[in-house]
Amino acid sequence: WGELSGSPFFVINSIMKTLNLETTAPFQGLAELVAYEEGLFELEGLDINWVDRDPTENNVEIIKPIAINITDPSEVDPHSSHGKLFEQGKADMYNACEWGNYCRVQDSEVESGRQIGRRSIVSFAGLVVRPESKVYTPQQLAGKLVGVPFYFGTHYLALHMLEGFLKRDQINVCSAPNGSRHRYDAMMSGTVEATTLTEPYLTLAEKNGCRVVASAFYHGTEVASDKVDTETYAKFNRAVCEAVQRINTDKKKYLQYFIDYHKEKDPEIGTLSVSDLKESRIVVVEPAPIPEDELERTANWIQSWGMLSSTENHNDLVNRII
């Protein structure tokens, strides 16, 4: 036994098990990053190997163009980023938004790939317009072009938020890249009227005079192959739970992750300080299974938008190994 921040830890096996994870940004994987940086996975006997799903050139992200002519998710590969390396057998597990992961699992070539539980962070995002936009409320986005990353959390979040104010045939979305930087630039240039942003780009947008016309939190899940057994996932979650406790004890300390993760590739993020970020937007909880009633409602809602058409039973998309 050992002591870390008052919490007992026991390394079950002296032999480390390697777990290959797709890279994750703080807005969707803060607790996992903290657990890695502070040695919590190692204490559980896990050797985490991060595999990068987003290549760069000279440490600069490759520019991803917006596609205003693509308005149907069926024209886009759900594994274009999240799950890409998992499909290639280079990753054992990845996390992404819960909505998108239903679709990824449905279309997966990995026979054992299933959602195994919700991740710890409850992500926050906003629907944003540039300073000179004439849009001040979600209702005013009727028929106006909104850039969203199809199959990513803020795609589905935008639909949820907008359909609270508009009829579905008034919602006009197009395919925008994953990675808030690319969508932010498209919105600021006027290519789209509005877009969805996560932290720290939501804070950057506000600092530069943009308006958030709607915002909300959303869940994500872990997708794993059969290489992640019950014992391995339990170890993973114990480390994450300790990280959750540390973050909730001192959120301000961990806000720096949101700046440090991006600033090398995006110097403008380096102009932000921790005081610019809002602690209330960072919510982490202990990982848990997807509640059955929420699973059913979520799957039915996704199907109502014309997705998950190949799934007869939504329970086939999950594996309750905990």
Side-chain angles (χ1 to χ4, degrees), residues 16-315:
M16 300 289 284
K17 177 171 182 176
T18 298
L19 190 59
N20 297 307
L21 303 182
E22 291 190 359
T23 51
T24 185
F27 83 89
Q28 67 184 51
L30 177 61
E32 288 84 348
L33 293 172
V34 170
Y36 175 75
E37 293 291 341
E38 300 193 1
L40 304 180
F41 287 127
E42 187 176 3
L43 284 169
E44 287 290 345
L46 296 178
D47 177 22
I48 301 299
N49 176 44
W50 297 103
V51 287
D52 195 351
R53 59 188 172 83
D54 288 320
T56 60
E57 291 180 355
N58 299 321
N59 207 37
V60 176
E61 279 194 84
I62 298 172
I63 295 175
K64 302 173 183 178
I66 196 164
I68 62 175
N69 60 314
I70 298 178
T71 59
D72 188 332
S74 66
E75 300 178 58
V76 175
D77 179 5
H79 299 106
S80 63
S81 183
H82 293 306
K84 176 173 62 178
L85 299 177
F86 181 82
E87 292 297 304
Q88 297 172 6
K90 298 176 181 178
D92 307 320
M93 188 165 76
Y94 67 91
N95 91 56
C97 88
E98 184 175 330
W99 300 298
N101 280 346
Y102 285 81
C103 299
R104 292 185 186 93
V105 170
Q106 173 191 260
D107 297 341
S108 178
E109 297 295 326
V110 180
E111 187 174 343
S112 63
R114 295 290 186 277
Q115 295 183 86
I116 57 174
R118 281 183 172 163
R119 67 190 181 197
S120 65
I121 196 163
V122 187
S123 297
F124 183 84
L127 188 59
V128 183
V129 297
R130 59 193 179 281
E132 61 271 23
S133 172
K134 301 301 181 183
V135 171
Y136 295 90
T137 68
Q139 294 98 320
Q140 293 177 305
L141 284 170
K144 292 184 169 59
L145 193 59
V146 179
V148 297
F150 286 147
Y151 296 112
F152 290 77
T154 61
H155 161 210
Y156 301 95
L157 189 70
L159 298 180
H160 268 299
M161 292 190 294
L162 289 171
E163 71 179 350
F165 299 91
L166 304 171
K167 294 180 180 179
R168 287 193 174 187
D169 62 6
Q170 294 176 313
I171 298 173
N172 183 22
V173 296
C174 72
S175 178
N178 65 295
S180 286
R181 175 83 248 182
H182 307 290
R183 298 196 303 280
Y184 172 77
D185 290 341
M187 180 265 297
M188 291 297 281
S189 70
T191 303
V192 294
E193 186 64 38
T195 195
T196 46
L197 300 175
T198 56
E199 291 292 13
Y201 288 93
L202 189 57
T203 292
L204 179 67
E206 290 177 307
K207 192 172 183 179
N208 289 337
C210 298
R211 294 189 299 280
V212 179
V213 297
S215 62
F217 289 90
Y218 63 95
H219 282 294
T221 57
E222 306 280 359
V223 174
S225 71
D226 56 8
K227 293 180 181 178
V228 182
D229 56 23
T230 302
E231 182 183 7
T232 300
Y233 192 49
K235 292 179 180 180
F236 180 88
N237 279 340
R238 281 198 295 270
V240 169
C241 286
E242 172 63 16
V244 166
Q245 180 180 329
R246 294 184 182 193
I247 294 166
N248 284 331
T249 298
D250 188 2
K251 280 189 181 180
K252 184 170 291 186
K253 171 184 175 181
Y254 293 101
L255 289 176
Q256 189 65 42
Y257 273 70
F258 289 83
I259 298 172
D260 291 346
Y261 186 87
H262 296 278
K263 68 180 183 181
E264 190 172 350
K265 297 177 184 177
D266 189 344
E268 191 173 10
I269 293 300
T271 67
L272 297 177
S273 65
V274 165
S275 61
D276 293 319
L277 300 167
K278 297 179 180 178
E279 291 184 40
S280 61
R281 292 177 176 175
I282 311 306
V283 174
V284 289
V285 297
E286 293 190 355
I290 306 170
E292 291 188 19
D293 59 333
E294 293 182 31
L295 190 158
E296 181 176 6
R297 290 200 307 271
T298 299
N300 289 339
W301 178 81
I302 296 171
Q303 288 177 323
S304 77
W305 277 95
M307 292 172 271
L308 283 187
S309 58
S310 300
T311 297
E312 294 183 6
N313 185 347
H314 52 266
N315 288 298

